[in-house]
């Protein structure tokens, strides 16, 4: 095996951000509209879908897929204006700039637009963009507001962007603990950092909302690093060990979002959405598992040479998703 780079030190504590007098670009908080107790969906092949965090990379990939492969229309919501090159004149797209941490803004969008479904992507995407208190509190508030507003607006189809880090992975301060490979959704969650904790709490929120609202379907999709093309981490095999040499193609992640809106089941389900092969090209999966996680057991025999470390069979079973192939959205 190639010479391994030294083990990186745990990340240093983040500094407290300086106070700022600047205000975010927000709308005035509107008076909440009357909520509905029934979903607006009349044709699941032509839904009006709200996508929050639409200026992010996954949001942009989702826009492309919707316009090229479906008849759905989109209401794209973000705290900043549409990025350059946005399809401002497309009749199937509406842009809304709003601060969704203000609950009345969220509720007004979902109720006034007669929305059929919600895909909630808005969040800090890692723990390094702000102080831990900001990362955690913003993400947890956004996810609660999304679920509460969806319920009040009568929306029955909800997708929430979770992360493989809900179990503790790339951002663990020490070595993450994995009980077995490949990981499935039954594996214990052991978050350590503010971002991972916010995703674990989001999944608990979804459980609560599904229990209290038995007619809703909520899918928490645990995405790995979303990329346009498969990366090769063979030169960083030790550095990439924490998140288990994983990735997901952008188109595949976007497809999972749409498939999770078209389901017959009710309740809340968590699913891994990760590529089926690891990225440490040239390395045997069983070999690197034994090297970096010698105490981790196997669920059912040795790993295949290029096999990924995440079991995505639940996503295939519940929404028909495969990383390559599988069901296409309506």
């Amino acid at each position: 095996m190639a010479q391994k780079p030294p083990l990186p030190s745990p990340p240093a504590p983040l500094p407290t951000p300086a106070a700022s007098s600047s205000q975010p670009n927000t709308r005035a908080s509107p008076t909440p509209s009357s909520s509905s107790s029934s979903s607006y969906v009349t044709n699941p092949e032509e839904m009006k879908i709200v996508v929050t965090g639409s200026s992010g990379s996954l949001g942009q990939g989702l826009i492309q897929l919707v316009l090229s492969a479906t008849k759905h229309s989109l209401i794209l919501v973000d705290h900043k204006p549409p990025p350059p090159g946005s399809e401002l004149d497309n009749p199937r797209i509406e842009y809304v700039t709003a601060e969704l941490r203000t609950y009345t803004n969220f509720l007004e969008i979902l109720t006034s637009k007669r929305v059929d479904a919600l895909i909630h992507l808005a969040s800090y995407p890692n723990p390094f963009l702000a102080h831990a208190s900001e990362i955690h509190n913003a993400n947890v508030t956004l996810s609660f507001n999304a679920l509460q507003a969806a319920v009040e607006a009568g929306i029955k189809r909800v997708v929430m962007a979770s992360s493989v880090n809900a179990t503790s992975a790339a951002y663990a301060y020490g070595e993450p603990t994995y009980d077995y490979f490949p990981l499935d959704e039954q594996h214990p969650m052991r978050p350590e950092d503010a971002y991972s904790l916010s995703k674990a709490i989001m999944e608990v929120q979804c459980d609560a909302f599904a229990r209290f609202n038995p007619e809703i379907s909520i899918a928490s999709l645990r995405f790995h690093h979303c990329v346009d093309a498969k990366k090769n981490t063979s030169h960083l095999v030790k550095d990439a060990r924490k998140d288990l040499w994983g990735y997901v193609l952008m188109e595949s992640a976007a497809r999972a979002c749409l498939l999770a809106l078209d389901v017959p089941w009710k309740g809340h389900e968590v699913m891994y959405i990760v590529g089926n092969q690891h990225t440490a090209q040239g390395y045997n999966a069983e070999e690197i598992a034994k090297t970096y996680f010698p105490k981790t057991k196997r669920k059912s025999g040795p790993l295949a040479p290029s096999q990924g470390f995440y079991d995505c069979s639940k996503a295939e079973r519940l929404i028909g998703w495969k990383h390559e192939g599988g069901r296409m959205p309506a």
Side-chain angles (χ1 to χ4, degrees):
M1 182 180 295
Q3 183 67 30
K4 310 300 187 300
L7 179 65
S9 301
L14 292 168
T16 302
S20 171
S21 61
S22 61
Q23 297 296 318
N25 183 17
T26 63
R27 306 188 303 173
S29 300
T31 302
S33 304
S34 300
S35 61
S36 170
S37 60
S38 61
S39 175
Y40 297 124
V41 174
T42 56
N43 182 357
E45 295 186 359
E46 296 185 30
M47 291 190 290
K48 183 182 288 186
I49 304 169
V50 163
V51 179
T52 69
S54 57
S55 66
S57 57
L58 179 52
Q60 293 299 297
L62 184 59
I63 295 168
Q64 295 177 21
L65 182 62
V66 167
L67 294 180
S68 64
T70 78
K71 298 179 181 179
H72 303 317
S73 59
L74 298 174
I75 299 172
L76 303 175
V77 187
D78 207 287
H79 67 96
K80 52 189 177 183
S86 300
E87 302 209 25
L88 298 175
D89 299 324
N90 193 308
R92 293 168 58 193
I93 290 181
E94 177 182 353
Y95 288 91
V96 178
T97 303
E99 173 52 79
L100 295 179
R101 285 178 289 185
T102 301
Y103 177 71
T104 48
N105 288 346
F106 216 137
L107 180 63
E108 193 272 338
I109 291 168
L110 296 191
T111 53
S112 67
K113 305 294 184 180
R114 295 187 62 84
V115 174
D116 298 312
L118 169 65
I119 299 175
H120 178 64
L121 307 179
S123 76
Y124 281 102
N126 65 58
F128 306 124
L129 298 177
H131 189 269
S133 61
E134 168 69 10
I135 298 287
H136 172 275
N137 296 344
N139 286 1
V140 170
T141 297
L142 284 166
S143 57
F144 178 87
N145 285 356
L147 294 162
Q148 182 66 36
V151 167
E152 289 198 44
I155 295 171
K156 301 296 194 295
R157 304 161 186 244
V158 178
V159 169
M160 305 289 284
S162 188
S163 168
V164 298
N165 291 284
T167 61
S168 179
Y171 307 126
Y173 291 118
E175 293 298 310
T177 300
Y178 296 121
D179 295 350
Y180 54 81
F181 293 143
L183 294 185
D184 60 19
E185 294 80 5
Q186 300 303 313
H187 191 281
M189 292 192 291
R190 300 186 180 102
E192 298 180 21
D193 65 283
Y195 170 76
S196 302
L197 179 59
S198 75
K199 292 303 182 180
I201 290 174
M202 186 207 78
E203 294 182 8
V204 175
Q205 290 173 335
C206 292
D207 282 338
F209 274 88
R211 283 193 295 269
F212 198 67
N213 302 275
E215 293 304 309
I216 199 170
S217 68
I218 307 172
S220 290
L221 303 183
R222 287 182 177 173
F223 297 111
H224 209 296
H225 184 208
C226 295
V227 294
D228 292 323
K230 183 180 179 180
K231 57 184 179 178
N232 181 358
T233 61
S234 59
H235 62 299
L236 298 170
V237 65
K238 188 172 184 178
D239 290 345
R241 72 198 181 284
K242 286 187 175 183
D243 61 1
L244 300 177
W245 310 278
Y247 76 106
V248 61
L249 291 176
M250 195 71 68
E251 185 276 336
S252 296
R255 182 160 42 86
C257 291
L258 296 180
L259 292 176
L261 294 178
D262 183 18
V263 295
W265 46 264
K266 307 296 183 184
H268 172 227
E269 299 289 351
V270 178
M271 287 164 265
Y272 276 115
I273 304 296
V274 186
N276 58 339
Q277 295 184 337
H278 66 74
T279 60
Q281 297 177 30
Y283 287 84
N284 184 292
E286 188 65 26
E287 180 181 321
I288 55 177
K290 289 178 179 178
T291 300
Y292 298 109
F293 301 98
K295 297 181 180 179
T296 301
K297 300 177 181 179
R298 308 292 180 268
K299 283 199 305 181
S300 56
L303 300 170
S306 62
Q307 180 179 347
F309 286 76
Y310 296 88
D311 179 355
C312 298
S313 61
K314 184 177 180 182
E316 181 178 359
R317 186 172 72 254
L318 292 186
I319 65 175
W321 180 86
K322 291 183 179 181
H323 191 241
E324 298 180 13
R327 188 164 70 99
M328 288 296 293

